[in-house]
Amino acid sequence: MKHLPHKTIERLSQYRRALLLCLEKGKTHIYSHEIAKIQHITAVQVRRDLMLIGYTGTLRKGYNVKELIDLIGNIIDSEEGINVTIIGMGNLGRALINYFAGKRSKLRIVAGFDTNPDKIGNTMSGVPCHSIEQLKEVVAAEDIKVGIMTVPADYAVDTAELLVKAGIKGILNYTPKPVNVPEGVYLEEYDMITSLEKVAFYVKLQETD
Amino acid sequence: MKHLPHKTIERLSQYRRALLLCLEKGKTHIYSHEIAKIQHITAVQVRRDLMLIGYTGTLRKGYNVKELIDLIGNIIDSEEGINVTIIGMGNLGRALINYFAGKRSKLRIVAGFDTNPDKIGNTMSGVPCHSIEQLKEVVAAEDIKVGIMTVPADYAVDTAELLVKAGIKGILNYTPKPVNVPEGVYLEEYDMITSLEKVAFYVKLQETD
DNA sequence: GTAAAAGTGTTAAAAATTTAACATTGTTAA
DNA sequence: TTAACAATGTTAAATTTTTAACACTTTTAC
């Protein structure tokens, strides 16, 4: 398979999540327009994405939920799984851990880090909290590839640097401060304020129409 | 001004955040390539966005930080400001409140809601926590326009419905479960699992190159 | 048993977004 | 004072992403 569009990757992850819920409900097949409705997109787009990954459904029956879940897994998961760490065990860090607990077998949050001595040494929802001093050792020992940053904004830049030095290959930055990473490290940034401002903007726009 | 591209709106919010930091540092002017570097985009894109909002910098001097901040504010903020509520005062809800505290004068988190009796009646970082039963009354009384959903996934659909019935005009859904809203309500959904899966995917991809 | 309906899969067109190209103009330096 | 430089502003091209169009096939209804 050639490379999939950026947006398709995101949607595949979302399709899988929707499919897992369907599976729980005992649904064995699903139509493109059903997936589309859940995700607020069009059925064409769903079919096109599935075409891109080479999955073919059954005419008039739709797609086999289980098969499709497995196929998406083959594409986006890595076979051995990936170990993840959370830097910053504040509210957001803990929210992520709870959110995640046992959700994806191929993505394991295996360690957390903080600077607060009261937290260090404890375990939160099954995730041990280490001192940030230990970052490099733990990352190496646990073969951690991805780091999620949930530290206060003022520590963002330094934390990113530490992560890179520790050998992390991907960073998900939830602080409101953009950071820089060298070539070879994948960086994804998300800022909650921007999302909220966007919602507020479109609400305002709707009112003034 | 005609309508701005979706993506430009997002970037304007981000530019402003970067500019506010520059202002704090005492910087009065900034070049397009400096903004670009911070946001990991190209200078052309910055200039193009600013062109779209009709801002014109000084040749060889760059853009006036303060002016630009104000102009972006005129565009994305609403004059009177918008009141916001958070539904679900768990870790994520509290993280957002702290994150936000006093950051944007035009976006005010004026109320939180929960079902847990231990939380109801308390104030967290200056935000009072009400019972979800009171949603409609409080939304009306406080003129709340936007709701942020940080409830457990199982309550997502019901919560969205409550918000819509209460007269909310925009929803930011942080639960992993997509919800539906009627015409006239702006919906933005963000799923942290998808972001993490995306990072993991590109890390895997880089390794197998 | 045949026509209509309801799906899928795919190619082509359209729309949105990003990037390139370049004209323009203050500023600096010889 | 004039040439080189370094920035902006804008039009045009390229790329990415979405949507439309439609051929095809199984099922359903009569």
Side-chain angles (χ1 to χ4, degrees):
Chain A
M1 190 182 322
K2 47 191 170 280
H3 30 314
L4 298 165
H6 219 257
K7 288 290 176 78
T8 295
I9 296 298
E10 288 182 13
R11 282 193 297 262
L12 287 174
S13 162
Q14 288 164 359
Y15 296 164
R16 174 163 69 173
R17 204 155 30 67
L19 291 166
L20 286 167
L21 290 175
C22 291
L23 195 63
E24 275 181 25
K25 288 191 206 145
K27 219 166 149 62
T28 62
H29 287 77
I30 192 167
Y31 297 127
S32 61
H33 66 258
E34 293 178 294
I35 300 178
K37 177 124 192 254
I38 297 172
Q39 300 300 144
H40 314 115
I41 55 178
T42 67
V44 185
Q45 191 155 64
V46 174
R47 293 207 300 275
R48 214 175 183 299
D49 285 334
L50 299 191
M51 185 191 92
L52 292 174
I53 64 173
Y55 184 64
T56 148
T58 316
L59 198 49
R60 284 292 285 221
K61 280 278 153 81
Y63 304 97
N64 182 304
V65 174
K66 204 160 172 345
E67 275 179 20
L68 189 45
I69 289 172
D70 289 344
L71 178 57
I72 293 176
N74 288 343
I75 292 164
I76 67 181
D77 292 335
S78 81
E79 209 167 332
E80 341 73 64
I82 283 192
N83 292 338
V84 178
T85 181
I86 293 193
I87 319 299
M89 298 284 267
N91 283 314
L92 186 53
R94 294 200 305 272
L96 277 160
I97 290 172
N98 291 329
Y99 203 74
F100 238 89
K103 285 271 175 55
R104 292 283 179 283
S105 54
K106 296 298 185 182
L107 279 176
R108 298 171 293 259
I109 299 182
V110 297
F113 293 87
D114 208 296
T115 54
N116 182 339
D118 294 342
K119 289 179 184 166
I120 295 165
N122 292 349
T123 290
M124 299 180 182
S125 306
V127 177
C129 179
H130 304 94
S131 162
I132 190 75
E133 309 281 331
Q134 307 251 274
L135 185 65
K136 195 158 188 170
E137 294 90 305
V138 177
V139 164
E142 300 267 14
D143 189 29
I144 294 172
K145 295 261 174 58
V146 170
I148 304 177
M149 291 176 45
T150 52
V151 299
D154 288 343
Y155 298 98
V157 172
D158 291 346
T159 302
E161 206 173 306
L162 284 175
L163 282 169
V164 169
K165 277 189 188 149
I168 285 281
K169 293 300 179 212
I171 293 180
L172 178 49
N173 178 16
Y174 279 114
T175 79
K177 198 146 190 327
V179 301
N180 290 300
V181 296
E183 194 75 11
V185 176
Y186 182 87
L187 173 67
E188 172 97 9
E189 307 200 302
Y190 176 77
D191 177 26
M192 297 179 169
I193 296 183
T194 290
S195 287
L196 183 52
E197 289 190 336
K198 192 169 145 198
V199 173
F201 173 79
Y202 284 109
V203 166
K204 171 183 108 167
L205 203 65
Q206 243 164 8
E207 281 182 345
T208 58
D209 273 351
Chain B
M1 187 181 322
K2 48 188 169 282
H3 32 315
L4 298 165
H6 219 255
K7 288 288 176 79
T8 295
I9 296 297
E10 287 181 13
R11 282 192 299 262
L12 287 174
S13 162
Q14 288 163 0
Y15 297 163
R16 174 164 68 173
R17 204 153 33 65
L19 290 167
L20 286 167
L21 290 176
C22 292
L23 195 63
E24 274 180 26
K25 286 191 207 143
K27 219 168 149 64
T28 62
H29 288 76
I30 191 166
Y31 298 126
S32 60
H33 66 257
E34 292 178 296
I35 300 178
K37 176 122 191 257
I38 297 172
Q39 300 300 144
H40 314 114
I41 56 178
T42 67
V44 185
Q45 191 154 65
V46 174
R47 293 207 300 277
R48 215 177 182 297
D49 285 334
L50 299 190
M51 184 193 92
L52 291 175
I53 65 173
Y55 184 65
T56 148
T58 316
L59 198 47
R60 281 294 281 223
K61 281 276 152 80
Y63 304 96
N64 181 304
V65 174
K66 204 160 169 346
E67 275 178 20
L68 190 45
I69 289 172
D70 290 344
L71 177 57
I72 293 177
N74 289 342
I75 291 164
I76 67 180
D77 292 336
S78 80
E79 209 166 331
E80 341 72 63
I82 283 192
N83 292 338
V84 178
T85 182
I86 294 193
I87 319 298
M89 299 284 267
N91 283 313
L92 186 52
R94 294 200 306 270
L96 277 161
I97 291 172
N98 291 328
Y99 202 75
F100 238 89
K103 285 270 176 56
R104 291 285 179 282
S105 55
K106 297 296 186 185
L107 279 178
R108 300 172 291 259
I109 299 183
V110 296
F113 292 88
D114 209 296
T115 54
N116 182 339
D118 294 342
K119 289 178 184 166
I120 296 167
N122 292 350
T123 290
M124 299 180 182
S125 305
V127 177
C129 179
H130 303 93
S131 161
I132 188 76
E133 308 281 333
Q134 308 251 274
L135 185 64
K136 195 159 189 169
E137 293 91 306
V138 177
V139 165
E142 300 267 13
D143 189 28
I144 295 171
K145 294 262 174 58
V146 170
I148 304 177
M149 291 175 45
T150 52
V151 299
D154 289 343
Y155 297 99
V157 172
D158 291 345
T159 302
E161 206 172 307
L162 283 176
L163 283 169
V164 169
K165 278 190 188 150
I168 285 281
K169 294 300 179 211
I171 293 179
L172 179 48
N173 178 16
Y174 279 116
T175 79
K177 198 150 189 329
V179 300
N180 290 300
V181 296
E183 193 74 14
V185 176
Y186 182 87
L187 173 67
E188 172 96 8
E189 307 199 302
Y190 176 78
D191 179 25
M192 297 178 168
I193 297 183
T194 289
S195 287
L196 184 52
E197 289 189 336
K198 192 170 147 197
V199 174
F201 173 79
Y202 284 108
V203 166
K204 170 184 109 166
L205 203 64
Q206 241 163 9
E207 282 183 345
T208 58
D209 273 349

